Structure formats: C-alpha cells, structure tokens
Amino acid sequence: MSNVTVIGSQWGDEGKGKIVDWLSEKADVIARFQGGHNAGHTLVVNQVTYKLKLLPSGIVRKNKISIIGNGVVIDPWALLDEIKQLEKLGIKITEKNLYIAENATLILPMHKELDGIREDTKNTDKIGTTRRGIGPAYEDKVGRRAIRVMDLANKNNLSKRLDMMLFHHNSIRKSLGKSKINKKRLINDLAKISSKILKYSTPVWKKIEEFKNKKKTILFEGAQGLLLDVDHGTYPFVTSSNTVAGSASTGTGCGPNTINYILGIVKAYTTRVGEGPFPTELKNEIGNKIGRKGKEFGTVTNRKRRCGWFDAVLVKQSCIISGISGIALTKIDVLDQFKDLYICVGYKLNGKRVNYLPSALSDQFKVKPIYKRFDGWLENTQGIKKWKDLPVKAKKYVNFIRDYCGVKVSSISTSPKREDTILLENPFKKN
Ligand code: GDP
Ligand code: IMO
Ligand code: MG
C-alpha cells in the first residue's frame, strides 16, 4: 500500500472532505498539513453531516489516527470548540486518536482582529478572506515571532515569546489607533486552555516516521486549492499558505518520497469564494442555476460562492504544478440538467491565444476564455456508483477532461454521500 496526498485543484471547496472521508477507510492515519479553520470540509455519513475545519476528515471513523501537522495554523479556541461539537455527534477524540504537532503555529485573537481590520479598510482592495486570522498568523510564523503549541508548556518562555510578538503587533496597532494588547490577560486566557491543547501535542515528524516503519498507510489532506496557493495562485487573492502537494512533506515533517500518489480533487465546474480573478465566471442565470443545484454556499462563512464553467486550462496547470497522479472528479450530478455545457480550453489575451494563466494580476483579470461546447446529458447521475451506468455524454465530458489535462480520472463523485462514488483507480495500490 502507498501513501496518498489529496489536494484541491481549483479555488477550494472541490469536495476534498467527502473524498478524504471515503478514502480514509483504506488509510490508518489522516494528516492535515496546511491552512487552518479557514477550511470547511463537509462529509455526509449515514445521513449525518459533519463540517470539519481544523480536524482531518478521517476523524469520524473509528480506529484511525488524525494528525494536525506543523504547517497548520491553529486557533486553540476554535479547535476546542470543534472537538466539542464533534463529541456531541458521538465522535470520540482523545490523545490516542489525535496528535498535534508541537511546532505548529497558534492563531491568537490579535490575528483575527487584524485580518478583520484589513478587510474592512477602504484604503486597499479587499481579499475577501475568511477573517479567521490566517494571514496574520502565517506572517508571524515567517517573521519568527509566532507562538507555537509547545510554547504553552512554559509560562516564562511564553511571556518572553509574547514580548517579541507584541513589540510588532503593538506598533501596528498604534498606527491603526487600536489599544495595546493586554499581555497579562492573554497569558491568563491561554493558561486556561493550554493543558487541553498540550495533551495532544507531540513531535509529529517522529510519529510519521514510526507509522512508516510499521507500514501504516498515511493520507495527507490538503485544504483550499491550488489557485489559492501563495506562490502559484491568483496572488494577492490567495490564502497565506502553500496549498500545492509539496506542502504535505514540509507541513508534517517527512520527505517528499513518503508520498506515492497525489490525488487532485476537481469539481466538474468552477467556484470561488472571495474576491479575485475568475475567467469562466458566469454572472448570469446559468451561474445562479449551478450555484442552486450545487448548494454553493461557503461552509465557513456562508458566503455565496461565485460559479462558472469548467476551466481545463487552470486544472491542467494545477496538475503540472502539483504533480497530480490522478483526478477525483466531483459534483458531476450538479450538471445533470444543462442542455449545453462549456469547458474553457484556452484564453485570448491582447489578441493572442494563451494556454496558461499568466502570473500578472492585470492579465488574469483580462483573459477571455475560449470554450468548447458539449451536449448536456439531461439525465440523472446522482448516486451512480459504476462507470458503465454514466450517460454516454457524461463519459465524453469526463474523458475530455482526462485527455486535456493528461491525467487519469481516479474516481467520480455523484452525490455528497460517502458511498456515492465511482472508483476507477485505487490511489493506495502501488502502481
Ligand atoms: P471541501 O472544502 O473541498 O472539502 O469542499 P466543501 O465541503 O467545502 O464543499 C463541497 C460541497 O459539495 C459539500 O457540501 C459536499 O457535501 C458537497 N459534495 C461533495 N461531493 C459532491 C458530489 O459529488 N455531488 C454533490 N451534489 N455534492 C457534493
Ligand atoms: P477549503 O479547504 C474556498 C479563500 C477565502 C479568500 C482567500 C483568503 O474548504 O477548500 P484566508 O481566510 O485564507 O486568508 O482567505 O482564500 N479561502 C477558501 N476558499 N475554500 C477554502 O477552504 C478556503 N480557505 C480560504 O475565501 O478568498
Ligand atoms: Mg470547503
């Protein structure tokens, strides 16, 4: 058996949660490696809907180990709240089935506040963030002043570390006309929860090594999507972490050769939440219809997701940048009732055809999609579990995506439910 990384290949919300939950039957360990509670991963198991933010999507299954890696930014209060919510639904979470990297960065209230201030200012373009403090927390990590999980274990050390961090934050706050951070209160607030977090804390890189030695199967679960990657996405309209498959290695502490298969989750059309370029966006009744059928409302912020046609140019770009081995195509059932379907196969930019999304933001806003038309299948695909049962026209649509992107289709999802999935290639099987 091999280890698999699952990543989003568009602007997030591709259905990673559903696919990770479905695949985790075959895995022993499920590890998150980047992002934070900006993620919203939905699973539907036996008519119960679980909405996960920080916890890996394997958490709902018994006898699985869940890991939150060092690449994740953790709001400790949000994590404890999520654990509480899941416990209400009968999920057992203990230090036996959840490990948190001792060197993961914490999101503190000042990060959230700063995220909100920046979003609300009239002076700059709004990114449309989730306002969870993700960006400011990653900034502190890279700025070498962040508080990390193990800092909670030692009050003196925490106090010193906070001095470094507050020196930076208080100067920003002063210029924004905000009051100084009350350090004593922050330390007290952290002291109230530190033991509840520290009990899960461990050197995750060592655990992963142990699992590898015991030949356990590991599933690495990405958050967001490649076009939100801080290097490769539609910068600056991105999140603040690397969402590419390579992050699974840095975000947990294992070599890139740990991973044998990279599964790119791809929605059968395109959506985006927040601001930024979106070449195939449909600001019309067709876009609204996709949104209605696909229930395209954000899991985290409940914002309406922008909807558009499938952009094969972008997905191909994702496949190349992340080294995707196979695609899990999701939400094909949402397209059941469209007479005509379109796939973007290139762009027009300044009168010339281009076959990739250029990095300059001004070009990203300017490109005009070139479409190929497909006949809609106008048949029900919801709940189909076998390739042979898909309508011929749906197969043609799927095969075109495969051929254009040059990547095999590993599975097709036909409803939110765990079991409504067509398996074409088992990612865990050594190929
Ligand atoms: P994630 O962030 O990538 O995990 O995706 P989200 O959970 O935010 O959004 C995907 C939404 O689509 C969720 O509401 C899922 O329950 C739902 N979903 C996943 N796969 C399918 C599918 O094949 N068909 C339909 N109709 N819904 C799906
Ligand atoms: P999952 O894992 C979709 C978007 C936000 C915003 C930008 C930056 O559920 O696919 P941030 O709060 O990260 O600083 O916001 O990124 N964004 C997501 N969009 N799905 C997500 O996660 C997202 N996480 C962040 O809407 O445009
Ligand atoms: Mg989501």
Side-chain angles (χ1 to χ4, degrees):
M1 294 292 268
S2 56
N3 301 319
V4 175
T5 295
V6 168
I7 53 149
S9 314
Q10 292 150 313
W11 276 291
D13 303 323
E14 298 90 349
K16 296 176 290 293
K18 148 149 186 182
I19 299 293
V20 170
D21 163 63
W22 173 66
L23 284 176
S24 60
E25 184 191 3
K26 300 182 180 77
D28 303 299
V29 180
I30 299 92
R32 273 281 303 269
F33 53 87
Q34 47 69 233
H37 65 318
N38 49 349
H41 297 175
T42 318
L43 337 176
V44 183
V45 184
N46 301 331
Q47 273 111 55
V48 182
T49 300
Y50 302 90
K51 289 182 189 290
L52 302 171
K53 298 179 182 99
L54 269 162
L55 291 164
S57 298
I59 197 82
V60 303
R61 290 191 188 258
K62 284 196 183 122
N63 305 320
K64 307 284 171 188
I65 301 288
S66 288
I67 288 183
I68 297 180
N70 55 278
V72 176
V73 282
I74 303 170
D75 177 329
W77 293 277
L79 176 64
L80 292 175
D81 188 50
E82 189 173 338
I83 291 174
K84 210 155 107 202
Q85 296 307 322
L86 281 176
E87 281 176 343
K88 275 191 204 154
L89 293 170
I91 308 292
K92 254 208 155 125
I93 301 170
T94 70
E95 50 275 44
K96 295 238 163 28
N97 67 345
L98 174 65
Y99 302 149
I100 299 179
E102 56 180 10
N103 51 345
T105 295
L106 295 183
I107 302 181
L108 298 178
M110 70 193 90
H111 296 127
K112 196 173 161 188
E113 197 184 343
L114 185 56
D115 199 351
I117 292 170
R118 287 179 183 160
E119 282 294 296
D120 291 335
T121 181
K122 303 265 178 299
N123 300 329
T124 60
D125 277 344
K126 200 174 137 112
I127 302 290
T129 73
T130 59
R131 296 171 178 258
R132 298 295 188 265
I134 305 292
Y138 274 120
E139 285 164 35
D140 279 357
K141 170 181 172 170
V142 183
R144 297 167 293 191
R145 56 182 172 262
I147 305 299
R148 308 199 289 175
V149 170
M150 78 284 214
D151 293 324
L152 298 175
N154 180 323
K155 231 176 171 178
N156 283 340
N157 183 41
L158 177 63
S159 170
K160 267 197 212 150
R161 304 276 314 122
L162 271 176
D163 285 339
M164 232 178 128
M165 194 168 163
L166 297 189
F167 171 73
H168 177 82
H169 277 271
N170 282 334
S171 19
I172 296 177
R173 293 175 69 87
K174 193 172 172 190
S175 68
L176 293 168
K178 295 278 159 190
S179 61
K180 269 184 153 183
I181 303 283
N182 184 333
K183 182 180 162 193
K184 210 169 151 196
R185 185 156 53 186
L186 181 55
I187 289 183
N188 282 341
D189 288 347
L190 286 170
K192 282 184 208 151
I193 53 152
S194 54
S195 63
K196 294 183 195 163
I197 298 289
L198 283 167
K199 69 176 188 177
Y200 303 109
S201 150
T202 190
V204 153
W205 63 273
K206 262 172 123 300
K207 290 283 177 197
I208 297 218
E209 173 65 2
E210 278 168 38
F211 291 131
K212 279 166 66 179
N213 289 338
K214 288 183 191 158
K215 303 272 180 273
K216 300 282 184 199
T217 301
I218 310 169
L219 183 54
F220 296 87
E221 176 181 12
Q224 290 83 50
L226 192 125
L227 294 160
L228 290 170
D229 182 278
V230 69
D231 286 290
H232 297 286
T234 45
Y235 190 91
F237 296 98
V238 292
T239 191
S240 296
S241 66
N242 281 112
T243 59
V244 292
S247 265
S249 161
T250 51
T252 55
C254 62
N257 57 355
T258 304
I259 293 134
N260 316 88
Y261 193 102
I262 297 161
L263 183 67
I265 314 299
V266 175
K267 202 182 274 195
Y269 49 94
T270 315
T271 62
R272 162 159 219 175
V273 212
E275 309 302 314
F278 181 173
T280 61
E281 182 171 14
L282 294 163
K283 291 182 184 165
N284 56 21
E285 182 41 34
I286 302 174
N288 291 340
K289 185 173 163 188
I290 295 177
R292 273 197 311 276
K293 299 251 174 204
K295 300 199 172 67
E296 295 295 353
F297 290 91
T299 318
V300 174
T301 53
N302 210 27
R303 285 176 291 173
K304 197 170 172 218
R305 295 175 183 151
R306 298 154 65 192
C307 296
W309 294 124
F310 188 85
D311 191 333
V313 178
L314 290 183
V315 172
K316 183 173 185 175
Q317 199 159 322
S318 292
C319 289
I320 294 169
I321 292 170
S322 263
I324 288 174
S325 328
I327 284 173
L329 193 68
T330 60
K331 304 192 87 160
I332 186 124
D333 55 296
V334 173
L335 300 181
D336 283 354
Q337 296 309 324
F338 289 83
K339 195 169 148 286
D340 302 297
L341 295 169
Y342 293 87
I343 292 184
C344 170
V345 293
Y347 303 123
K348 267 267 156 68
L349 178 64
N350 301 325
K352 288 203 183 102
R353 186 178 175 133
V354 287
N355 61 358
Y356 71 100
L357 189 69
S359 297
L361 188 65
S362 52
D363 288 342
Q364 294 184 348
F365 275 118
K366 227 192 293 172
V367 292
K368 291 271 172 289
I370 300 167
Y371 286 116
K372 180 174 164 59
R373 196 194 72 84
F374 289 80
D375 286 337
W377 40 94
L378 301 173
E379 280 179 59
N380 180 46
T381 63
Q382 198 177 24
I384 288 183
K385 295 178 187 61
K386 291 203 175 96
W387 171 255
K388 70 172 180 49
D389 296 335
L390 277 184
V392 173
K393 285 173 181 163
K395 285 180 181 166
K396 203 171 159 198
Y397 187 84
V398 175
N399 286 340
F400 180 83
I401 293 172
R402 176 198 64 192
D403 295 342
Y404 185 96
C405 298
V407 174
K408 282 180 273 185
V409 175
S410 160
S411 56
I412 301 167
S413 168
T414 57
S415 103
K417 293 187 201 157
R418 182 189 266 174
E419 61 277 14
D420 292 340
T421 317
I422 302 169
L423 178 67
L424 298 169
E425 176 187 63
N426 180 358
F428 290 110
K429 228 167 155 185
K430 279 239 156 76
N431 296 294

